[in-house]
Amino acid sequence: MTTNTDYQLLRNISQEPLVSVIYVNYHTFHLLMDSIQSLEEHCTTVPFEIIIVDNASGDNEISMLKEWVSRKALKNVRLIFSDSNAGFATANNLAAKEALGRYLFFLNPDTLLLNDALSLFYDYLERSEPNFVACGGNLLRADQSPNDSYGNFPGILLELCNIGLGLSFLLNGYYRKNIAISCKVPDKKIRPVPYIVGADSFIRARIFNLTGGFDENYFMYYEETDLFLRFKKAGYQSHILPEARIIHLEGGAVGKRFNYSKFEMILRSKLYYYKKWYPGSLPFIILIILLQICVQYLKGKWGSDFGKLISIYRRTI
């Protein structure tokens, strides 16, 4: 993958950024513009730079990005253009290598900040113990109802629950607290969490780099889960700050409907995750996933082409 970078200017030569806000763009120009507008509107306390990596969206999108930066005369924005789409993890790592901030704020284009979340994150980690390395906010839907903000690390019990035969219902509160990978913020209490949803991960740059950044074997999905598992194994903690409120238009970047390409990307990442961290469980995981496909297809939740699902399953495993 080759890249080129434009607009390598800081907001103010005497005020280096304390935070590097990183976006990965792939055909999300209008979502990205709205997100940056919310960032500029609400985050006025802590100096920051914005790094946008375009993952080969095409000439039209590149032209729009360049024209937008020129028109607004934004001096805290850097554009990095990749000539191929190497995935979300690779693009974020590329931006992190160029970042000047003490903190990295990985922010999805389909997010809208409702308050100065950047300042809340920065202040929290600045006054925290050194082993507190990351934080995320209270993610909300477009109507500001709760959205998924954090999760537990995946395991066999999760995959059994995801077959769709009611095990998660039977486990009830235990499932939500200890198994679910998609959890909503339950109250206003700051809490340690296993991992933070990748839509708004605020991380100490030194620790991110020391830990090796995102594993680039993930094209998309599970890369943040993998990163936070490495944080945990290294003795670091991550926290959710409910006061930081961010709308996450989940699916805005990849679409909300079931699609087979997304299913394949998730499946590939999932299998790599288990192979990397729990290789002994992989044969069971492969069998459980087949059961998931059968049950979820019969329930009408995983598309309408069973043959296509099986074909993806076979070539992925």
Side-chain angles (χ1 to χ4, degrees):
M1 180 183 69
T2 60
T3 62
N4 60 82
T5 309
D6 290 337
Y7 304 102
Q8 299 191 54
L9 297 173
L10 299 181
R11 169 182 296 206
N12 188 309
I13 195 169
S14 65
Q15 190 180 38
E16 287 196 355
L18 295 173
V19 177
S20 297
V21 183
I22 295 173
Y23 289 100
V24 176
N25 178 64
Y26 184 69
H27 298 300
T28 55
F29 176 78
H30 297 292
L31 288 169
L32 177 63
M33 295 303 101
D34 290 341
S35 182
I36 292 176
Q37 182 178 340
S38 73
L39 179 72
E40 293 278 0
E41 178 183 347
H42 293 290
C43 301
T44 58
T45 306
V46 178
F48 64 89
E49 66 172 344
I50 298 171
I51 303 176
I52 302 169
V53 180
D54 182 83
N55 250 352
S57 296
D59 293 341
N60 186 52
E61 195 113 348
I62 290 172
S63 296
M64 287 192 296
L65 283 168
K66 287 184 175 180
E67 192 276 332
W68 170 75
V69 173
S70 297
R71 186 180 71 250
K72 298 196 70 176
L74 295 173
K75 295 184 179 181
N76 66 326
V77 176
R78 286 188 281 169
L79 303 178
I80 301 176
F81 301 107
S82 172
D83 64 357
S84 63
N85 184 0
F88 187 74
T90 299
N92 275 315
N93 282 347
L94 178 64
K97 290 175 183 176
E98 299 289 333
L100 300 175
R102 188 184 306 169
Y103 296 93
L104 306 176
F105 188 16
F106 297 100
L107 197 58
N108 276 14
D110 58 350
T111 56
L112 297 169
L113 279 70
L114 298 179
N115 57 12
D116 193 351
L118 188 149
S119 178
L120 292 169
F121 295 149
Y122 176 83
D123 291 343
Y124 180 75
L125 287 183
E126 279 291 287
R127 66 175 186 265
S128 296
E129 297 295 326
N131 66 319
F132 288 17
V133 299
C135 51
N138 184 4
L139 294 183
L140 308 168
R141 301 186 189 280
D143 61 2
Q144 298 194 30
S145 61
N147 204 345
D148 298 325
S149 300
Y150 66 95
N152 296 287
F153 294 118
I156 286 183
L157 195 51
L158 169 74
E159 301 304 333
L160 288 170
C161 290
N162 285 347
I163 292 175
L165 296 176
L167 182 57
S168 59
F169 176 79
L170 292 174
L171 292 173
N172 200 0
Y174 182 84
Y175 171 82
R176 291 194 300 272
K177 184 177 180 180
N178 299 290
I179 301 174
I181 60 170
S182 301
C183 303
K184 299 170 178 58
V185 176
D187 51 43
K188 296 182 179 180
K189 179 182 178 182
I190 294 176
R191 65 185 60 245
V193 296
Y195 83 88
I196 297 165
V197 169
D200 71 323
S201 297
F202 191 95
I203 302 172
R204 295 186 193 271
R206 186 181 67 85
I207 301 302
F208 178 84
N209 294 322
L210 185 65
T211 314
F214 291 111
D215 184 336
E216 296 183 6
N217 289 295
Y218 298 100
F219 182 83
M220 184 180 289
Y221 304 109
Y222 281 76
E223 67 284 324
E224 77 270 33
T225 313
D226 181 284
L227 176 66
F228 281 92
L229 183 56
R230 279 182 279 137
F231 286 164
K232 179 185 177 183
K233 288 180 178 293
Y236 299 127
Q237 290 190 30
S238 307
H239 290 76
I240 287 291
L241 278 58
E243 188 180 350
R245 302 174 69 248
I246 301 172
I247 288 176
H248 182 204
L249 304 169
E250 193 170 9
V254 295
K256 295 182 179 180
R257 295 182 179 181
F258 181 89
N259 70 74
Y260 297 95
S261 295
K262 179 178 177 181
F263 170 75
E264 184 166 353
M265 282 191 289
I266 292 174
L267 184 55
R268 287 188 184 279
S269 293
K270 176 186 290 190
L271 290 173
Y272 174 72
Y273 177 87
Y274 283 116
K275 181 180 180 180
K276 178 179 179 178
W277 294 109
Y278 310 106
S281 72
L282 194 58
F284 301 101
I285 296 296
I286 290 173
L287 176 60
I288 292 169
I289 290 171
L290 179 58
L291 293 175
Q292 289 173 356
I293 291 172
C294 294
V295 174
Q296 296 294 343
Y297 170 77
L298 291 173
K299 294 173 71 173
K301 293 185 176 182
W302 283 13
S304 58
D305 190 336
F306 184 71
K308 193 169 185 177
L309 291 172
I310 295 298
S311 176
I312 290 171
Y313 171 79
R314 284 176 174 171
R315 68 171 174 259
T316 303
I317 63 171

